[in-house]
């Protein structure tokens, strides 16, 4: 046996042993659906584009569109197994994510990064709507009332680093589901270590030492500049606090929080 087939044989054995058996059938469904999209892209004349023009000259210079945001979630379920099952059930909730991180740090890749998962739903960040079309969704196995495990955060940081490098995603574009869907979503919970993520280049953090907002400082405008949808002011404040002020669950913004917002506004704008 020469070297190349041996490498493939090892890879194949690893791939088989890493794929949980109950998912052999749904993996087949994945392949079938991906094949359908592949065929659609190759179809000529184009039948998947809005332009209804009579003339077509295919350009020779193109690549796939890339994700430019990352949206982080907690699953609000009781086990990774339960989540994998939910995301492989056709019909029903129709929800999915690109990655799922289990309590022991195991990461399941569920969808090609270049395809659209059903994770963010109705969403807005800055003037970006439909985050599903432009983001990678990462679900962390957590019921919403417990701390995240060290193994999960270690795996998450490694994954985020690879995504950031591969797709050139700016630090400002790593958000939580609650950030992009205020009032509708509250994940990941206040246990989530956003400060640690920011220290590693995923999201930004504040430093209020010596910060003094001007007398006419408008906290709601600051929230809007950072990226929050402020249509419902209470909901926007709640999402901001879930992310940046874990210990305060009121819907009011005090003087310390004004300093935080003023500093973040300058960093995010
Ligand atoms: Zn979510």
């Amino acid at each position: 046996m020469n070297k190349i087939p041996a490498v493939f044989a090892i890879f194949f054995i690893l791939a088989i042993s890493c794929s949980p058996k109950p998912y052999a059938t749904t993996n087949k469904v994945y392949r079938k659906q991906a094949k359908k999209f592949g065929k659609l892209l190759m179809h000529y004349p184009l039948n998947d584009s809005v332009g209804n023009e009579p003339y077509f000259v295919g350009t020779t210079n193109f690549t796939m569109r890339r994700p430019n945001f990352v949206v982080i979630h907690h699953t609000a379920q009781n086990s990774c197994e339960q989540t994998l099952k939910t995301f492989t059930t056709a019909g029903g909730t129709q929800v999915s994510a690109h990655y799922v991180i289990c309590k022991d740090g195991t990461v399941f890749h569920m969808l090609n990064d270049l395809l659209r998962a059903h994770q963010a739903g109705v969403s807005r960040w800055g003037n970006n709507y439909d985050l599903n079309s432009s983001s990678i969704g990462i679900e962390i196995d957590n019921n919403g009332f417990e701390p995240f495990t060290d193994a999960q955060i270690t795996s998450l940081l490694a994954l985020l680093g690879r995504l950031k490098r591969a797709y050139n995603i700016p630090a400002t574009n790593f958000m939580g589901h609650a950030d992009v869907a205020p009032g509708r979503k509250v994940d990941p919970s206040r246990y989530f270590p956003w400060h640690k993520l920011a220290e590693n280049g995923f999201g930004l953090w504040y430093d209020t030492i010596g910060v003094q907002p001007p007398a006419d400082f408008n906290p709601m405008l600051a929230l809007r500049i950072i990226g929050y949808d402020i249509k419902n002011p209470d909901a926007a404040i709640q999402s901001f606090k879930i992310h940046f002020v874990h210990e305060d669950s009121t819907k009011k913004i005090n003087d310390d929080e004004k300093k935080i917002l003023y500093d973040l506004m300058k960093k995010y704008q």
Side-chain angles (χ1 to χ4, degrees), residues 218-252:
N218 180 341
M220 290 317 296
L221 189 61
L223 281 170
R224 179 71 191 93
I225 289 169
I226 292 166
Y228 288 99
D229 178 356
I230 57 168
K231 195 168 60 226
N232 177 338
D234 280 359
I237 293 170
Q238 176 181 259
S239 284
F240 157 68
K241 291 196 179 184
I242 289 172
H243 189 129
F244 292 103
V245 197
H246 292 172
E247 64 281 4
D248 181 3
S249 56
T250 67
K251 307 279 187 333
K252 297 225 165 12

Side-chain angles (χ1 to χ4, degrees), residues 71-75 119-120 139 177-178 185-188:
V71 178
I72 297 170
H73 308 251
H74 71 229
T75 58
Q119 38 104 15
E139 288 274 2
H177 201 184
K185 294 290 169 183
V186 293
D187 64 306

Side-chain angles (χ1 to χ4, degrees), residues 71-77 87 119-120 137-140 142-145 148 175-192 194 238-239 242-243:
V71 178
I72 297 170
H73 308 251
H74 71 229
T75 58
Q77 293 194 315
F87 291 176
Q119 38 104 15
I138 302 175
E139 288 274 2
I140 307 178
N142 181 290
N143 65 15
F145 306 99
F148 296 83
M175 299 93 60
H177 201 184
D179 293 315
V180 301
R184 201 172 66 76
K185 294 290 169 183
V186 293
D187 64 306
S189 77
R190 290 168 191 271
Y191 286 105
F192 191 72
W194 281 113
Q238 176 181 259
S239 284
I242 289 172
H243 189 129

Side-chain angles (χ1 to χ4, degrees), residues 20-21 65 104-105 107-108 142 165 180 190 230 240 261:
K21 268 194 183 144
R65 286 188 180 165
D104 66 358
V107 182
F108 285 96
N142 181 290
R165 279 192 299 278
V180 301
R190 290 168 191 271
I230 57 168
F240 157 68
L261 276 172

